[in-house]
Amino acid sequence: MSDVRHVLVLPDRDAAEEAAEALGERFGVTEEPQLVRDALAGEDDAEDAQWLVVVEDPESRLAAGALDAFAAEWDGWREEQ
C-alpha cells in the first residue's frame, strides 16, 4: 500500500461540494473526501479562495488522467501529493 493523495483544486465551494459528491458516483470513492478552503497568499477576501477536495487513494486505484478530466469539468485541476 502506498500513501497516494490526490488534491483537486477547484474555483469555489459550490464546485468543491459538487465534485466531492460526484466522486462517489463516478469513481466509487467510499471515504468522504475532505474539503479545504485555500486562501490565496495575501488575500483576505473569501472570493479569492480556492477550494481543495482531498481524496485518499491508498490502493492507487484512481487513474490520474481520469481525475484530471474530472476536475476540469469544474474548471479545476488535480495535484498529487
Side-chain angles (χ1 to χ4, degrees):
M1 255 195 208
S2 64
D3 292 334
V4 176
R5 175 180 294 152
H6 303 280
V7 178
L8 307 182
V9 182
L10 301 170
D12 57 46
R13 183 180 186 146
D14 289 340
E17 289 175 345
E18 288 175 23
E21 185 175 318
L23 275 166
E25 297 167 7
R26 176 112 31 114
F27 297 101
V29 173
T30 56
E31 185 177 323
E32 187 171 336
Q34 179 183 5
L35 299 180
V36 179
R37 181 180 178 270
D38 184 33
L40 300 176
E43 298 294 333
D44 293 328
D45 189 353
E47 294 297 318
D48 295 322
Q50 296 173 326
W51 282 79
L52 309 179
V53 178
V54 181
V55 183
E56 301 293 336
D57 186 19
E59 298 173 5
S60 299
R61 342 177 275 109
L62 301 173
L67 287 173
D68 288 336
F70 179 79
E73 292 176 24
W74 284 274
D75 295 325
W77 64 90
R78 178 195 59 88
E79 293 182 357
E80 190 172 311
Q81 296 190 342

